[in-house]
Amino acid sequence: MAKKKISKSDAEWQRILSPDQYRIMRLKETEPAFTGEYWDHHEKGVYRCAGCGIELFSSESKYDSGSGWPSFFAAVSDNNIRKEEDNSLSMQRVELMCDRCGAHLGHLFEDGPEPTGLRFCINSASLRFT
Ligand code: FE
């Protein structure tokens, strides 16, 4: 199903998001480990994009990676997440972004558990649990 992209100016995002969310989601900063709302959160439900509300992750694919960031071994739908090469900080990483509103979410690593072996390492600030 085609989804409509959401595009807002920086000024609009700054109005909608908290200062921390704006820095992380629009300026691609990272929240300090073990500080976010969801790294140690274990309720059953859905984690949505804090920018546009699209479903990103299920609590069923959440696991404790020990990293201090919410970690998932799979996304609800790969269509909702965009992957881009990120060569910042002298590292080669895969950046994860919301495909609908372009929010920075976190990074993808290949040291996750079965069945995928993937670790979606996500900033709590980019998520809203429902
Ligand atoms: Fe979004």
Side-chain angles (χ1 to χ4, degrees):
M1 197 173 69
K3 68 181 162 297
K4 228 174 145 190
K5 305 268 178 176
I6 291 177
S7 163
K8 296 183 196 294
S9 69
D10 282 343
E12 280 178 285
W13 283 122
Q14 243 170 328
R15 205 168 55 233
I16 295 166
L17 302 173
S18 73
D20 281 345
Q21 284 179 319
Y22 181 78
R23 277 197 300 275
I24 291 164
M25 297 169 69
R26 308 312 305 184
L27 305 180
K28 304 183 190 294
E29 290 191 11
T30 299
E31 70 196 13
F34 304 103
T35 65
E37 196 177 348
Y38 297 131
W39 70 272
D40 196 22
H41 182 260
H42 300 286
E43 283 172 50
K44 285 200 166 103
V46 173
Y47 293 84
R48 297 172 179 276
C49 173
C52 72
I54 201 170
E55 287 188 18
L56 297 175
F57 301 101
S58 161
S59 58
E60 313 234 311
S61 61
K62 192 174 190 292
Y63 74 101
D64 183 7
S65 66
S67 68
W69 291 284
S71 302
F72 305 86
F73 58 75
V76 165
S77 164
D78 283 334
N79 288 331
N80 293 353
I81 296 185
R82 197 191 315 160
K83 302 182 178 81
E84 287 191 9
E85 252 184 67
D86 174 7
N87 297 315
S88 66
L89 306 178
S90 310
M91 287 186 275
Q92 287 192 329
R93 296 181 294 175
V94 175
E95 180 192 355
L96 300 170
M97 301 167 73
C98 172
D99 191 51
R100 186 158 73 176
C101 75
H104 173 73
L105 303 173
H107 290 90
L108 181 66
F109 300 96
E110 296 187 344
D111 57 9
E114 296 294 321
T116 62
L118 297 174
R119 170 166 59 106
F120 292 74
C121 183
I122 307 296
N123 289 285
S124 296
S126 301
L127 299 173
R128 192 177 74 233
F129 179 80
T130 54

